[in-house]
Amino acid sequence: MMDYQEIKPKFKKAYPIVYQAKRIIIGGFGKNTVYDDETGAVEQVFKMIDGQYTIAQISKRISQQYTQFSEQDVVELIEDLNSERFIEDSELTGSGILSDYDRERYHRNINFFSSFIKLSKNKYEVQKKLKNATAGIIGLGGLGSHIVYDLAGLGIGTIKAIEYDKLDLSNLNRQILYNNDQIGQSKAQLAQKRIHDFNPEINFEIYEKQISSTKQITDFFSDVDFIILVADRPKYLMARWANEAAVKLNIPMFCAGLEAQRAMYYTVIPHQTGCVACWQNSVANRDDVSTLVLREKEYLNLLGDNTAIVPLVSTVTGMINAEILRYLTGIGRVQAAGNLIAVDFLTMRTKVIEKWDLAETCAVCGGKHFGEN
Ligand SMILES: [Zn+2]
């Protein structure tokens, strides 16, 4: 890594700076940071943080002009601005990491990532992680439509999608990848074309057969980094197969679904959180009302004429994509690991409605953390 003193810091564009008599306010989005500035020295430091000067040059000049400020004081002030994530290294331009096209196309993403990182990190590397990532998604219905469109917008390099269904008129209240004049056509092929038109840089591969085993999923998804499960048919079997595939491939699985007036999502990270089978084991012996209702629903195989309203679809898919983004970039922690989180239509509030652990007796994941025998 480059010598810290030789970094040329500059303020990130996202944070407004307000200069007042004897104080400076910076930030403003939920949190203001105030710097007292009796002598005007802090203002001079701020003015020099414009990408032209090294930290060594700034601390030297300020300590010469303001005798009460030592070079170390100035370095500490800059370090404080760094720990608040207000400044970045002006010489990290992203060339050699991303193409000119990518830097332009993903400019706002990169600004967003920048707001989370410190001087030592390169914001362009974060976008590069997305470009290098491969997503595997099961289902291109309402949830799947929104998710792959957003993943293509984010710049996930490769998306592999499983969907065998044909477009139906009743899909068009929420399935945004498809058009009115395409009824009866293959959703997978329509999605592939739509995503290609939207972002030609994305590699979008499709598998158009009905899933009836874990092996089909592990074969097609052998090189993906994570699985997104948003298919609801066959309801319980699909979750079982996808879960087995995620455990076998040892990759995380992000799942979302709709249920009446709620949308829900959860995340499985094999050997770190309980898997779907761990969860099912944990509720199998429970006798509360919701478990009984679930079992009845499974027994009756209640499917088909589901409720689905687009605000819940777009909300929960936004949440799942944020979850994926946190996972891939390392910016923030995964929120729904081993948790089922529900969004309620009437309030749009979220709530953890189920939690489960690794089950020692789990036949699928073995109930083991990494490193255990
Ligand atoms: Zn398990």
Side-chain angles (χ1 to χ4, degrees):
M1 201 185 100
M2 166 176 200
D3 182 8
Y4 188 74
Q5 290 280 336
E6 294 309 309
I7 291 174
K8 293 180 175 173
K10 68 171 182 187
F11 280 103
K12 295 170 184 174
K13 288 202 183 93
Y15 302 105
I17 303 173
V18 179
Y19 294 97
Q20 292 189 317
K22 299 189 178 179
R23 65 171 194 171
I24 302 170
I25 304 161
I26 180 166
F29 305 110
K31 185 190 169 198
N32 295 324
T33 305
V34 178
Y35 292 91
D36 291 323
D37 189 22
E38 283 296 322
T39 60
V42 178
E43 183 171 345
Q44 287 310 310
V45 173
F46 277 36
K47 293 279 161 70
M48 286 186 81
I49 298 178
D50 64 354
Q52 305 289 315
Y53 305 99
T54 65
I55 291 174
Q57 287 168 330
I58 298 168
S59 55
K60 195 168 177 196
R61 182 172 314 168
I62 299 298
S63 65
Q64 283 167 354
Q65 286 177 356
Y66 299 88
T67 49
Q68 74 278 30
F69 262 75
S70 70
E71 285 191 35
Q72 188 56 33
D73 291 336
V74 179
V75 171
E76 279 171 16
L77 171 59
I78 293 173
E79 187 41 48
D80 189 60
L81 293 169
N82 184 31
S83 69
E84 297 281 352
R85 296 171 171 80
F86 292 145
I87 53 176
E88 62 186 345
D89 183 344
S90 63
E91 291 188 328
L92 298 177
T93 59
S95 64
I97 297 170
L98 294 175
S99 66
D100 292 348
Y101 174 90
D102 283 349
R103 275 182 290 167
E104 182 68 24
R105 177 161 186 137
Y106 303 115
H107 184 72
R108 301 298 198 281
N109 282 3
I110 293 161
N111 281 352
F112 177 80
F113 300 139
S114 162
S115 71
F116 289 95
I117 64 181
K118 295 192 190 177
L119 280 176
S120 56
K121 289 247 162 61
N122 188 326
K123 61 187 176 182
Y124 299 98
E125 295 283 3
V126 185
Q127 184 66 43
K128 182 81 175 177
K129 281 185 188 171
L130 304 190
K131 194 181 176 68
N132 291 341
T134 300
I137 183 166
I138 306 173
L140 290 171
L143 298 162
S145 284
H146 283 258
I147 288 171
V148 296
Y149 210 75
D150 284 359
L151 291 181
L154 284 166
I156 300 290
T158 301
I159 300 169
K160 299 179 82 164
I162 295 174
E163 177 60 73
Y164 75 97
D165 220 355
K166 305 267 190 288
L167 184 64
D168 187 84
L169 179 60
S170 69
N171 298 151
L172 292 178
N173 72 323
R174 65 199 186 282
Q175 300 192 11
I176 55 167
L177 293 174
Y178 315 117
N179 296 335
N180 193 54
D181 61 356
Q182 294 170 330
I183 306 297
Q185 295 183 41
S186 150
K187 284 190 195 177
Q189 290 173 32
L190 292 170
Q192 190 175 43
K193 179 168 186 323
R194 180 70 174 267
I195 294 297
H196 178 77
D197 290 346
F198 175 51
N199 190 344
E201 300 259 300
I202 306 294
N203 175 29
F204 194 94
E205 297 171 29
I206 55 176
Y207 180 87
E208 282 192 87
K209 291 199 189 94
Q210 190 164 4
I211 295 294
S212 57
S213 72
T214 304
K215 189 175 183 302
Q216 284 171 287
I217 303 172
T218 51
D219 284 352
F220 184 57
F221 283 170
S222 61
D223 55 351
V224 308
D225 298 311
F226 57 94
I227 293 175
I228 303 163
L229 174 64
V230 282
D232 55 359
R233 284 176 291 173
K235 195 148 192 152
Y236 299 96
L237 286 171
M238 186 60 92
R240 186 179 305 167
W241 295 324
N243 179 61
E244 284 174 3
V247 171
K248 219 165 235 169
L249 297 167
N250 199 14
I251 52 175
M253 179 167 77
F254 304 93
C255 310
L258 300 171
E259 186 207 72
Q261 299 161 357
R262 300 192 295 185
M264 283 174 282
Y265 74 108
Y266 63 94
T267 299
V268 170
I269 303 179
H271 309 298
Q272 291 183 39
T273 72
C275 73
V276 172
C278 291
W279 180 14
Q280 285 168 344
N281 290 341
S282 79
V283 295
N285 300 317
R286 223 166 56 186
D287 242 2
D288 63 32
V289 173
S290 62
T291 313
L292 293 173
V293 172
L294 260 180
R295 260 183 240 147
E296 189 64 11
K297 225 168 126 180
E298 183 170 17
Y299 171 72
L300 293 171
N301 204 19
L302 282 181
L303 287 173
D305 203 9
N306 292 327
T307 62
I309 196 88
V310 78
L312 276 179
V313 172
S314 55
T315 301
V316 79
T317 57
M319 286 175 164
I320 208 172
N321 278 335
E323 183 89 331
I324 289 166
L325 209 48
R326 286 188 292 265
Y327 172 78
L328 281 180
T329 63
I331 288 173
R333 287 171 43 208
V334 172
Q335 297 293 308
N339 288 325
L340 179 66
I341 298 179
V343 189
D344 174 69
F345 173 77
L346 288 178
T347 60
M348 290 313 258
R349 290 212 177 101
T350 60
K351 191 171 153 193
V352 175
I353 56 170
E354 292 266 352
K355 269 178 185 284
W356 61 96
D357 294 318
L358 280 161
E360 273 176 38
T361 52
C362 180
V364 176
C365 74
K368 288 190 180 69
H369 289 278
F370 272 124
E372 289 177 17
N373 290 313

